[in-house]
Amino acid sequence: MLENPRSPRVRAVAKLTKRSARQETGLFLLEGPQAAREVLSYRPDTVVDLYATPTALEKHADIRDAARDAGIEVTFATEAVLDAMADTVTPQGIVAVARQTPTSVRDVFAAAPRLIAICEEVRDPGNLGTIIRAADAVGADAVILTGRTVDPYNPKVVRASTGSLFHLPVAVGVDLVSTVERARAAGVRVIAADVGGEDFLAHRPSLSEPTAWLFGNEARGLEPEALALAHLSLRLPIYGAAESLNLATAASVCLYETAFAQRAVLAQG
């Protein structure tokens, strides 16, 4: 039983809330039963450590069983220890440490993708986690993070993705120019989501083609140089009085519309 919140082991886990520690170790932090459940279901090979209070492990018997089946030993810890480890106020009695498993852009496009989300300088962790979750929900083939986009292994991103980080390939730290070049070479059309773009509805039929959506910064959108790389820029219609849509909301609409179009074509045979 880990009881000392100031022990070196606990402090090493707590450091993973910082990007520098994650970059140095190649590890990241997962908090709460849902995150533990997802990583044990989809990527148990990446789990390095699993910590839980006896009460939490008794309550979440499926996590206990999944850890046992994966050959992962659970280390019991007090609530105070888990609170010291976690980024959240209440980690709900379970904290895990796992290895980062980013995918290469080369592998993404080698798999003949039909739908991809590219995030260029997305800075809000909640937005990025939600975009990853939406990409997972629509059956996208990958998410690619370029520019100064927030670290996908940031605890807030991990929580917002609600496990989707483990469900589909995520490429990180890549250059937008080379990403677009690879997309073009793979026959994937790059469409920028931009308030100054052409009418979304007018181009709806063409969304059935292999598509990579390009999403920009929450405040500034995409820089002119980034927009110039895209095959096309589209804007979502605003029918009410709202000035604009939240980035993650707009991304979800774009991804779903594309998934609908692509699946309709597949259904037609």
Side-chain angles (χ1 to χ4, degrees):
M1 172 78 76
L2 279 177
E3 297 180 337
N4 182 4
R6 296 177 179 271
S7 72
R9 187 174 184 181
V10 174
R11 295 171 74 174
V13 174
K15 284 182 180 179
L16 296 176
T17 60
K18 304 298 183 184
R19 184 166 190 165
S20 58
R22 294 194 299 273
Q23 289 178 329
E24 181 181 343
T25 62
L27 304 175
F28 71 107
L29 187 67
L30 299 107
E31 306 168 45
Q34 181 60 26
R37 187 174 290 114
E38 294 293 333
V39 73
L40 287 169
S41 296
Y42 290 90
R43 294 305 308 267
D45 57 304
T46 67
V47 177
V48 174
D49 290 304
L50 182 60
Y51 303 93
T53 64
T55 301
L57 205 62
E58 182 178 353
K59 179 180 179 181
H60 302 287
D62 60 322
I63 294 176
R64 178 198 63 206
D65 294 343
R68 182 192 60 216
D69 293 344
I72 297 167
E73 182 178 353
V74 179
T75 300
F76 285 122
T78 63
E79 288 283 359
V81 163
L82 294 182
D83 288 345
M85 288 178 172
D87 181 61
T88 55
V89 177
T90 55
Q92 301 176 64
I94 297 177
V95 168
V97 175
R99 286 187 295 274
Q100 300 173 24
T101 55
T103 302
S104 72
V105 174
R106 178 184 300 172
D107 289 344
V108 167
F109 288 107
R114 292 195 57 80
L115 180 54
I116 289 174
I118 303 173
C119 296
E120 167 73 358
E121 207 174 336
V122 174
R123 306 307 297 272
D124 182 84
N127 277 336
L128 180 59
T130 302
I131 291 171
I132 293 172
R133 184 179 181 180
D136 178 24
V138 305
D141 297 291
V143 176
I144 298 174
L145 312 183
T146 67
R148 295 188 296 276
T149 292
V150 64
D151 176 15
Y153 300 105
N154 177 304
K156 294 182 176 65
V157 177
V158 176
R159 289 197 298 275
S161 79
T162 63
S164 289
L165 184 64
F166 311 116
H167 300 169
L168 78 171
V170 177
V172 303
V174 296
D175 175 70
L176 180 59
V177 173
S178 62
T179 298
V180 173
E181 288 175 351
R182 288 186 182 277
R184 289 178 181 273
V188 177
R189 195 170 61 145
V190 178
I191 302 178
D194 183 68
V195 293
E198 299 179 33
D199 179 43
F200 185 96
L201 298 180
H203 292 272
R204 217 172 182 182
S206 66
L207 295 179
S208 61
E209 301 174 18
T211 299
W213 275 100
L214 176 57
F215 304 112
N217 181 263
E218 292 87 348
R220 301 186 303 277
L222 290 160
E223 298 292 342
E225 296 81 7
L227 287 171
L229 295 172
H231 293 81
L232 180 68
S233 295
L234 297 180
R235 71 177 187 279
L236 288 173
I238 300 290
Y239 298 119
E243 177 197 10
S244 61
L245 285 171
N246 163 271
L247 172 64
T249 303
S252 298
V253 173
C254 294
L255 291 168
Y256 259 107
E257 283 280 356
T258 308
F260 291 154
Q262 292 182 353
R263 287 176 181 270
V265 169
L266 291 174
Q268 292 169 4

